[in-house]
Amino acid sequence: MIHFVHQMQYYILFEVIECSWASFLEKVHQAKALDDILNAHNEFLETIKTGAFLDVKSDSLGAMEEIYLGIMRLEVWQDKFFDVCFKELDARNALASNIKASELKGEYGITAEKRFQRDEEQRVFEQYVADSQKSLEKIGTDYEFAVRRFLLALNSNNDHNLQLFGIRLDFNEYYKKRDQRLGVPLTFEHMRMSNTFFNNKGSTMSFSRHSTN
């Protein structure tokens, strides 16, 4: 996820915005009238919109939204997991301190009620860890699917720069090894199959969202 965010940030800032800005300035300096500047500005905005995958017609937009949704889900999962783990750690430290304090008083240990309460809390914590592992696996599976979908969109795009961007995102061919479509030459048939894949999966994801809600 970190690699994806860094590569996306670099691509949009430098390869899209900075290059488009340089082209825009050149056209402004060559402008003969105000209309030339306005046209150059509109072209600049459209170029950024397309390069940043904000074009509603782009197959990449939906996949990118799913990717960042997965990243945010992981952030929420991580915050909650750490919070529960630290609470459990505090509870264990408190129990150890109580036992040590009772030993100094010559009482040697804690009451059966406190021991039962601590055992129950630990049982709940262990169940939470098991459930959290399943949730994390689901987040990882959904994220991998979204990235594969995004890479397929880049791979089937007519823009050579986007194809190269997809190669950088999958520099170690992790996703390519898991999806043979990413290694298929960019033929018309491949592009048609990719579009069918996006439409079918997009409908599935939409249905899944409504079902979850």
Side-chain angles (χ1 to χ4, degrees), residues 1 4-5 8 53 58-74 138-151 175 197-198 200-210 212-213:
M1 290 184 178
F4 179 89
V5 172
M8 180 64 70
F53 310 104
S58 174
D59 293 326
S60 307
L61 180 59
M64 189 171 64
E65 289 178 346
E66 293 297 332
I67 291 174
Y68 280 101
L69 178 62
I71 294 174
M72 290 186 291
R73 286 172 59 195
L74 177 62
K138 181 66 168 58
I139 293 174
T141 300
D142 292 344
Y143 175 80
E144 180 175 338
F145 166 77
V147 173
R148 283 168 47 201
R149 182 184 171 200
F150 184 69
L151 291 176
Y175 295 99
F197 173 79
F198 298 142
N200 291 340
K201 292 302 182 180
S203 300
T204 302
M205 295 298 292
S206 177
F207 175 77
S208 176
R209 282 182 176 179
H210 290 299
T212 303
N213 294 335

Side-chain angles (χ1 to χ4, degrees), residues 3 166-174:
H3 172 72
I167 294 176
R168 291 208 310 272
L169 287 176
D170 192 25
F171 70 98
N172 59 356
E173 298 186 348
Y174 173 86

Side-chain angles (χ1 to χ4, degrees), residues 6-72:
H6 286 173
Q7 289 296 322
M8 180 64 70
Q9 181 182 28
Y10 176 87
Y11 172 76
I12 293 179
L13 288 179
F14 295 100
E15 297 189 26
V16 176
I17 297 179
E18 185 171 331
C19 292
S20 299
W21 177 255
S23 177
F24 170 65
L25 289 181
E26 182 179 355
K27 293 179 180 179
V28 168
H29 293 153
Q30 296 175 353
K32 303 298 182 181
L34 179 60
D35 288 341
D36 295 334
I37 297 178
L38 294 176
N39 291 334
H41 183 256
N42 290 333
E43 183 179 346
F44 168 72
L45 295 178
E46 287 298 322
T47 301
I48 291 180
K49 182 178 178 181
T50 302
F53 310 104
L54 297 177
D55 188 354
V56 294
K57 298 180 181 180
S58 174
D59 293 326
S60 307
L61 180 59
M64 189 171 64
E65 289 178 346
E66 293 297 332
I67 291 174
Y68 280 101
L69 178 62
I71 294 174
M72 290 186 291

Side-chain angles (χ1 to χ4, degrees), residues 81-108:
F81 185 78
F82 282 176
D83 182 59
V84 173
C85 288
F86 282 128
K87 287 182 179 179
E88 174 65 17
L89 178 62
D90 291 340
R92 293 185 181 186
N93 290 336
L95 177 64
S97 297
N98 290 336
I99 293 176
K100 186 175 182 179
S102 65
E103 290 177 348
L104 294 176
K105 295 179 181 179
E107 297 176 358
Y108 301 102

Side-chain angles (χ1 to χ4, degrees), residues 147-156 163 166-167 170 172-187 189-191 193-194:
V147 173
R148 283 168 47 201
R149 182 184 171 200
F150 184 69
L151 291 176
L152 279 169
L154 296 180
N155 197 36
S156 59
Q163 297 174 18
I167 294 176
D170 192 25
N172 59 356
E173 298 186 348
Y174 173 86
Y175 295 99
K176 183 178 180 180
K177 295 175 182 177
R178 285 164 170 72
D179 195 328
Q180 59 182 358
R181 287 168 298 189
L182 292 174
V184 176
L186 296 178
T187 62
E189 180 65 16
H190 173 237
M191 295 176 66
M193 291 176 61
S194 297

